[in-house]
Amino acid sequence: MTAFVQEAEHDPERGERAGQDGEAPAPATPPAGRAAAEPLRRSATVRDALLLWAGTRAGMVLVAVYGALIVSGQSKAPLLERWKHWDVDLFRKIAEFGYDGDPNLEPDPGLPAFFPGLPLALRLVHLVVDDWTLAGLIISFVAGAVAMVALARLADFEGPAGAGRWAVLALLLCPPAVFLFAGYSEALFLAFAVPAWLAARRRAWPLACALAAGASCVRITGLFLAVALIVEFVVSRIRRDGWAGWWRGAWLVLPFAPILTYAAYQYSRTGDWLAWNNAQQTGWGRKPVWPWEAFRTTWDSTGGDGGFAPMFRLEIAAAIVGVLLLVWLLVTRRWAEFVYVGLQLGALITSTFYMSIPRSALLWWPLWVLMGRAGARQRWVIILYAAVIGPLMVPMTMSFMNSSWTG
């Protein structure tokens, strides 16, 4: 895994490596002191990322214990049962029975909406871990550790130095980060996608595309990543690399292969090439609408005393953050990141109602890199962010474990 996140020399102002496509850069020899300090700085980045990941996950275990023993008043804490809600059980059904579901029950028409990457990983881990829920937690824990290290390296790569630890902290303090702990697909996706983007920034296109193909096995978001990689490749040639290595663009078709393969598989089952997309409408009642219609429906759902009203308020807040992020990416001319986030947000805010936008924000690494850069320059930014949003982490974790959160 270290090869996925190893840094290269780069221009500290622009966050781009100096050198030609696919080759190690050849900068001037750095001073001896700086050269000696680089391995230490990289090791500190990895250490801090892993400590933050392990520390916050331990905190969630404590919250789970508290919820089971104190709130429920039970003498024996059913900890694994509390992480079995919502999509966790759907992934388990696919891993255990396939997309036809449990043969003793009615078929679930929503199952094709979930890509096979996580179910396949569950089947593999289940060979040595008997409990499906525990297998999902193990996958998310290991994948999350890889993702946090990659995010820290990416933020440090973009600069300034020290941005990595603040980027990781900002992500982990975000209330939806509870889904990185549960047996959901976000952690596994990030474990492929963030190293893929770091490799692309280093112009290591074969590695970037191979990792992106892994991400495409996990979520449809891999399609947006594949398109963003094409934009990054074109922009890199225009800006500084030149067109001498144009042939490396052939690798960019690789991330599309798992998506096409999965579509063909579902076609063989259902006769529908877009079964994964149509399952969203069948299973959750979501279909494309005009953005103002989606906003109005979501806004109307924020009122009243319904249990889901707070969820829809958070959905709108996450959508606003996404729009602001897109404006910043556009102003700073970060075209590839703009495409990656924009395609995701565009799909989410043109659905029947807002759903899963906070969870999708976990996958917007440009947001967390931006937070890391801001925190490295002005510590008060992270302090204010933690003071405002951090206290929401515990109630959201409790809400998930009580099966009252679907976001």
Side-chain angles (χ1 to χ4, degrees):
M1 288 297 181
T2 55
F4 296 168
V5 293
Q6 186 176 8
E7 280 188 309
E9 294 292 335
H10 64 284
D11 182 338
E13 293 298 321
R14 299 183 60 182
E16 298 178 353
R17 86 151 173 83
Q20 293 302 312
D21 186 348
E23 300 176 359
T29 303
R34 178 183 171 188
E38 280 298 309
L40 294 177
R41 185 173 67 83
R42 290 196 293 268
S43 297
T45 297
V46 173
R47 179 201 63 205
D48 292 346
L50 292 177
L51 286 175
L52 286 169
W53 173 249
T56 55
R57 301 314 93 181
M60 285 191 174
V61 172
L62 292 178
V63 171
V65 171
Y66 171 82
L69 295 179
I70 307 300
V71 176
S72 67
Q74 298 178 15
S75 59
K76 184 177 181 180
L79 295 179
L80 291 180
E81 289 296 318
R82 291 182 169 269
W83 297 101
K84 195 177 179 179
H85 304 309
W86 305 109
D87 293 359
V88 173
D89 198 49
L90 297 179
F91 282 118
R92 190 270 308 170
K93 288 180 181 178
I94 299 171
E96 187 172 3
F97 302 110
Y99 283 94
D100 292 325
D102 190 335
N104 298 317
L105 301 174
E106 288 292 324
D108 188 337
L111 292 183
F114 299 95
F115 274 48
L118 180 56
L120 288 174
L122 280 169
R123 287 183 70 96
L124 181 63
V125 176
H126 186 64
L127 295 175
V128 293
V129 177
D130 186 60
D131 189 277
W132 289 101
T133 305
L134 179 58
L137 292 174
I138 291 173
I139 292 169
S140 289
F141 183 80
V142 175
V146 173
M148 294 309 106
V149 171
L151 177 62
R153 287 288 181 84
L154 177 61
D156 276 356
F157 182 84
E158 300 287 351
R165 63 175 63 91
W166 302 117
V168 171
L169 181 61
L171 171 56
L172 294 179
L173 287 178
C174 181
V178 62
F179 294 101
L180 297 177
F181 185 91
Y184 275 57
S185 62
E186 280 78 5
L188 186 60
F189 176 83
L190 286 174
F192 284 107
V194 180
W197 198 254
L198 179 56
R201 297 291 287 142
R202 296 175 56 216
R203 311 299 179 239
W205 296 109
L207 177 60
C209 294
L211 289 167
S216 295
C217 293
V218 179
R219 294 175 65 93
I220 187 55
T221 318
L223 174 62
F224 308 142
L225 173 61
V227 176
L229 284 174
I230 295 175
V231 176
E232 178 69 11
F233 180 81
V234 173
V235 170
S236 71
R237 315 236 75 73
I238 294 174
R239 284 184 173 174
R240 53 191 312 166
D241 289 345
W243 293 95
W246 63 268
W247 57 272
R248 294 186 182 275
W251 287 99
L252 295 169
V253 303
L254 187 58
F256 294 95
I259 299 172
L260 293 174
T261 301
Y262 179 61
Y265 166 72
Q266 290 296 349
Y267 177 78
S268 70
R269 290 184 59 250
T270 66
D272 183 3
W273 284 99
L274 296 177
W276 59 268
N277 183 60
N278 294 330
Q280 293 278 346
Q281 180 174 350
T282 305
W284 290 271
R286 301 175 69 180
K287 61 182 180 179
V289 299
W290 292 109
W292 51 86
E293 294 177 4
F295 178 80
R296 183 172 61 247
T297 301
T298 307
W299 180 264
D300 291 343
S301 301
T302 62
D305 300 325
F308 292 109
M311 181 192 76
F312 285 111
R313 294 172 195 149
L314 190 57
E315 295 284 345
I316 291 177
I320 293 172
V321 170
V323 171
L324 293 176
L325 175 61
L326 286 178
V327 171
W328 180 79
L329 293 172
L330 187 62
V331 169
T332 55
R333 296 185 295 177
R334 302 182 74 91
W335 309 118
E337 290 96 330
F338 177 84
V339 168
Y340 172 72
V341 177
L343 289 174
Q344 291 181 65
L345 187 61
L348 291 167
I349 66 174
T350 56
S351 179
T352 305
F353 51 88
Y354 292 1
M355 184 178 181
S356 301
I357 299 180
R359 279 173 53 197
S360 295
L362 298 173
L363 312 180
W364 301 343
W365 62 78
L367 173 62
W368 310 117
V369 170
L370 174 61
M371 291 294 298
R373 294 172 67 182
R377 293 189 173 102
Q378 300 289 340
R379 299 291 172 81
W380 65 265
V381 173
I382 293 294
I383 294 173
L384 178 63
Y385 170 81
V388 172
I389 205 169
L392 298 176
M393 175 62 78
V394 171
M396 181 167 286
T397 302
M398 295 294 294
S399 180
F400 176 87
M401 291 188 299
N402 291 327
S403 189
S404 59
W405 175 262
T406 62

